Amino acid sequence: MVKKTFNNPIYFEEIIERISKLSENTPGKWGKMDVSQMLKHCDLVLQVALRKIELPKINILYEAIGIVTKMEMYVFNNGIPRNMPTFQKLIVNFECDFDESKTNLLKTLEEFRTACENKKLPDSHRLFGNMTEKDWEFLEYKHLNHHLKQFNV
């Protein structure tokens, strides 16, 4: 099975194409977010990698679970489980404008691509511990893929 990651430009384009297939009325298959909220959430998660959002410190037990989860995703190339808990700062439970959320996510994705190319990503994550460029590119792809599957694209 291929490990898709953002270090391959083909997979950046795949994600952008899948985002473009979404409409304001695209229904979700699971979870509480509507499509506009999902786009905003994905934008916020990418902003963590761009150092625009700082996540709070967490309990060492949760960090250990996060590190093991990261390793498991690499080894088994599995996805993110449905309805996983997330940092409060990344929860979007308010109304969002679809067009604005989509535009902002695409813009942030381009910023992320530039940060990847210039090796400007952080060397750690509050949940996943030490991070390499490869880790960011892999996990951010996995996250976006998870939510795009949630909305059937």
Side-chain angles (χ1 to χ4, degrees):
M1 178 183 263
V2 174
K3 283 188 183 174
K4 294 185 177 183
T5 172
F6 280 143
N7 70 349
N8 185 331
I10 291 169
Y11 301 128
F12 254 108
E13 293 309 315
E14 171 209 308
I15 290 293
I16 290 168
E17 187 177 304
R18 289 166 66 192
I19 291 169
S20 73
K21 291 179 180 177
L22 294 167
S23 74
E24 192 169 0
N25 301 316
T26 304
K29 297 192 306 187
W30 73 83
K32 297 175 185 168
M33 292 186 288
D34 66 27
V35 67
S36 301
Q37 292 168 323
M38 177 275 290
L39 292 167
K40 176 71 174 173
H41 166 74
C42 289
D43 182 35
L44 294 174
V45 170
L46 282 167
Q47 287 184 43
V48 172
L50 297 171
R51 296 182 174 100
K52 293 181 178 184
I53 294 176
E54 184 176 341
L55 298 175
K57 292 183 188 241
I58 59 171
N59 178 305
I60 194 162
L61 175 63
Y62 290 125
E63 188 175 343
I65 291 168
I67 291 167
V68 169
T69 300
K70 177 178 77 170
M71 290 188 303
E72 180 185 324
M73 281 195 283
Y74 268 121
V75 172
F76 299 108
N77 197 27
N78 56 0
I80 297 169
R82 294 178 182 181
N83 300 311
M84 266 192 67
T86 190
F87 287 90
Q88 188 67 37
K89 282 186 171 185
L90 306 177
I91 293 173
V92 179
N93 55 7
F94 48 87
E95 193 171 320
C96 299
D97 178 84
F98 176 79
D99 292 325
E100 181 182 332
S101 297
K102 186 175 180 178
T103 299
N104 289 343
L105 174 57
L106 292 171
K107 180 178 169 247
T108 304
L109 255 174
E110 285 302 320
E111 287 180 51
F112 181 76
R113 180 195 319 242
T114 301
C116 291
E117 290 168 354
N118 295 324
K119 311 283 189 225
K120 298 283 186 186
L121 298 171
D123 59 5
S124 67
H125 185 280
R126 292 285 194 212
L127 180 62
F128 299 120
N130 292 336
M131 295 281 282
T132 64
E133 300 286 325
K134 182 180 170 184
D135 292 335
W136 283 107
E137 292 166 337
F138 178 74
L139 293 172
E140 292 293 357
Y141 176 89
K142 286 287 191 185
H143 183 254
L144 280 158
N145 182 58
H146 167 77
H147 285 295
L148 291 171
K149 281 182 175 179
Q150 178 184 5
F151 287 86
N152 217 27
V153 293

